[in-house]
Each structure stands twice: as structure tokens, then as C-alpha cells.
């Protein structure tokens, strides 16, 4: 909207960039869950031999 002040849009743009960078940095540094180690060989404990 051209009738609004350009400084207002500049502040909104910098706020958007700040929130975007905060979002990406939080996604990079904070992991929501522990990754499972696939090198462990415990698959035989959950294996069930089905007999029909």
C-alpha cells in the first residue's frame, strides 16, 4: 500500500528477516528427538517367526 510510510515497511521487512533467521537457526541447533543408532543389532529381539 503506497500510502503507508516506507519506514514502516522497512521495519516489517527487517522483523521478517529476523524471525526467519531465528527459525532456521532453531531448526539447525535444536533437534526434537534423538536419532536412533542403526548399528545396533537388536533386530533379532523383535523378530517373530510366523507359522501358518
Amino acid at each position: 500500500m503506497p500510502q503507508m510510510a516506507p519506514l514502516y515497511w522497512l521495519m516489517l521487512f527487517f522483523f521478517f528477516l529476523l524471525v526467519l533467521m531465528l527459525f532456521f537457526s532453531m531448526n539447525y541447533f535444536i533437534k526434537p528427538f534423538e536419532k536412533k543408532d542403526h548399528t545396533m543389532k537388536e533386530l533379532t529381539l523383535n523378530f517373530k517367526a510366523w507359522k501358518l
Side-chain angles (χ1 to χ4, degrees):
M1 296 183 188
Q3 67 269 21
M4 296 184 74
L7 288 178
Y8 176 72
W9 289 108
L10 189 65
M11 286 176 18
L12 280 178
F13 177 67
F14 282 130
F15 178 73
F16 170 73
L17 288 180
L18 177 72
V19 170
L20 189 67
M21 293 307 293
L22 184 67
F23 173 73
F24 282 124
S25 62
M26 286 178 68
N27 271 339
Y28 181 77
F29 288 113
I30 299 175
K31 301 297 178 192
F33 53 87
E34 294 285 331
K35 290 184 178 179
K36 293 186 178 181
D37 188 14
H38 294 292
T39 59
M40 294 169 35
K41 302 297 180 187
E42 294 182 5
L43 296 175
T44 56
L45 297 177
N46 295 331
F47 179 73
K48 181 181 271 190
W50 294 95
K51 295 181 180 179
L52 297 175

